[in-house]
Every structure is written in C-alpha cells, then in structure tokens.
Amino acid sequence: SNQETLLVMVVVPSIEFLVFFFLLRKPKSDKIEDQHKGDDVVDDLPKFKSFGEKMIYIKSLIHFMIPLCLVYVFEYLINQGLFEMVYFPDIFLKHEEQYQWYQVTYQIGVFISRSSVNVVQFKKIWIMAVLQGCMLIFFGFEAVIMFTPSIWIIFVLIVFEGLLGGGAYVNTFYRMTKEIPATRREFAMSVVTLSDSLGITLAGFLAMPTHNYICGLPGGMRLQ
C-alpha cells in the first residue's frame, strides 16, 4: 500500500543521518588545497564579500548550468509526458506494467552512469544535451506513430536515456570539483544544483500540454 511504501522509505533519511555523522571523513586541517590538472595548487582566492559578487560569479557557471538544465528538461519531458503513451498492445506486459518497466530500466541507466565517473569522464556535457534532445524527438514520434517493432528496443533506448541523464549530472559536478577553486566550490555547486531542479520543473509544466496535444491527435483517444 502507499502507507507501507512510505514507511519503508523512512530508512533512506535514516541512512543519510548515519552516513553524515559516522561515515564521512572530517577535515583534519584548515589548509585548503585544490586538485587541478593533477597538481596540488594552493587556493588563495578570497571568499565572497557581498551578494553582488556572488551574482556576478554565477555568470561563470552558465556553461555548467545550461547543458545540465536542458538534459533534465528533455529527460523528464520524456518520462512525465511521453512514457505512458508509448505502449505495445497484445504483448506479455499490460499497459501499466510496461510503464512500470520503463521506469525500472530508466533507473538502471541512471544508476550505471552515476556510478561510472571514476572509470570514464566526459567534459562536453552539451553533447549529452543534444543526444537527449534526439531521444525526446524519437519518443515523441513513437508516442504518435508507434513505429518501433519491439518493446525491447524501447527498453534499450530508455536505458540509454538514463545513461545520458545520470552521466550529465555526475560529470558536471565532477568537473566542478576539478575546475573550481575550493573557496568557491560550495557556492558554485549549490547554484548549479538548481539547474536540474529547474529542468525537472519546466518539464513538468511542458508535459501536461504535450500529453493533451498528443491525445487530441487522430488515434490519440486510444489511451482513454
């Protein structure tokens, strides 16, 4: 039931509490060092003195924020506005079961990509935004025309979609840890974090008219 599900998930903030207070390593020195291009360099940049300085500094973060925001707009527009209209009649999975498996395969892709940054890194996040935009176009046509011959192809593409989303997220913040001085890093990360939240919010608003538009097309009533 919904109540039991929520009660089970209480374990998540409990684990976060234990990790924060008992697992994370505490700093042993006030000396700030920044790892940059494989060398230890002393971070001697002063901290922000005013709100205006912070606002000016945000401009230097745009190249992190825009690609990440676009990836999440495209990704969650697919998830919230198109997934439920991508279905295959008369197969071993019911319509609602197909949607559930779409979410599972998506999370598999996200999990893999967010766990891979120590193995492989990508600097050009904008490429992931472009590819995610292509995924949006594909799933948009799929929701209208239903031209893909097998649900297994859809599963593979959804895993790829999750790989792009998780990869964009983890590589953005990985790059920031390497490129942004330590005295600015905490503020920079808190600002860039807004990008994915903004992208998800925009996608939620766009998903509603997108869903209604597709359902209003000839043959769209098949979902009702």
Side-chain angles (χ1 to χ4, degrees):
S1 66
N2 292 338
Q3 181 181 7
E4 291 170 337
T5 301
L6 292 173
L7 289 174
V8 168
M9 294 307 297
V10 170
V11 70
V12 175
S14 301
I15 292 175
E16 290 180 347
F17 175 86
L18 295 175
V19 168
F20 184 83
F21 285 101
F22 299 104
L23 185 60
L24 291 181
R25 293 178 295 175
K26 297 178 176 60
K28 298 180 180 180
S29 173
D30 293 332
K31 183 180 180 181
I32 301 175
E33 293 184 348
D34 189 25
Q35 190 78 15
H36 183 63
K37 295 182 179 179
D39 298 324
D40 289 333
V41 294
V42 177
D43 177 15
D44 56 357
L45 288 177
K47 294 184 178 180
F48 295 110
K49 297 180 180 179
S50 66
F51 179 78
E53 288 185 359
K54 291 182 178 180
M55 294 300 99
I56 293 174
Y57 186 71
I58 290 177
K59 295 180 180 180
S60 66
L61 304 175
I62 295 297
H63 67 289
F64 292 115
M65 300 175 67
I66 292 180
L68 184 62
C69 182
L70 289 176
V71 167
Y72 273 81
V73 169
F74 299 150
E75 181 176 344
Y76 277 81
L77 186 52
I78 295 170
N79 294 355
Q80 299 175 12
L82 299 177
F83 267 0
E84 65 181 33
M85 293 183 288
V86 176
Y87 79 101
F88 294 79
D90 303 323
I91 64 171
F92 63 98
L93 293 173
K94 299 178 181 179
H95 186 191
E96 61 271 18
E97 292 175 334
Q98 293 177 38
Y99 179 81
Q100 293 166 355
W101 277 103
Y102 292 162
Q103 298 299 331
V104 171
T105 53
Y106 162 74
Q107 294 297 340
I108 290 173
V110 172
F111 176 79
I112 293 173
S113 58
R114 290 199 179 190
S115 306
S116 64
V117 71
N118 289 327
V119 179
V120 59
Q121 300 88 35
F122 296 94
K123 292 185 177 181
K124 297 180 179 180
I125 308 300
W126 63 268
I127 295 179
M128 296 184 182
V130 172
L131 291 174
Q132 200 72 291
C134 294
M135 296 297 292
L136 174 62
I137 294 172
F138 171 86
F139 280 103
F141 278 104
E142 175 63 28
V144 175
I145 304 174
M146 296 196 303
F147 59 89
T148 304
S150 172
I151 193 172
W152 296 105
I153 297 176
I154 296 296
F155 285 155
V156 171
L157 292 174
I158 291 175
V159 171
F160 182 64
E161 178 212 355
L163 290 173
L164 291 174
Y169 185 91
V170 73
N171 281 279
T172 295
F173 290 100
Y174 180 83
R175 283 184 57 199
M176 293 176 68
T177 62
K178 298 298 182 182
E179 298 177 13
I180 296 179
T183 52
R184 308 291 173 89
R185 192 176 299 150
E186 182 177 356
F187 172 76
M189 287 189 170
S190 66
V191 171
V192 175
T193 299
L194 296 175
S195 300
D196 65 280
S197 300
L198 177 61
I200 294 171
T201 303
L202 290 175
F205 280 107
L206 293 172
M208 293 182 282
T210 300
H211 180 278
N212 294 336
Y213 174 76
I214 294 177
C215 285
L217 294 174
M221 295 299 292
R222 66 182 183 273
L223 297 173
Q224 303 179 12

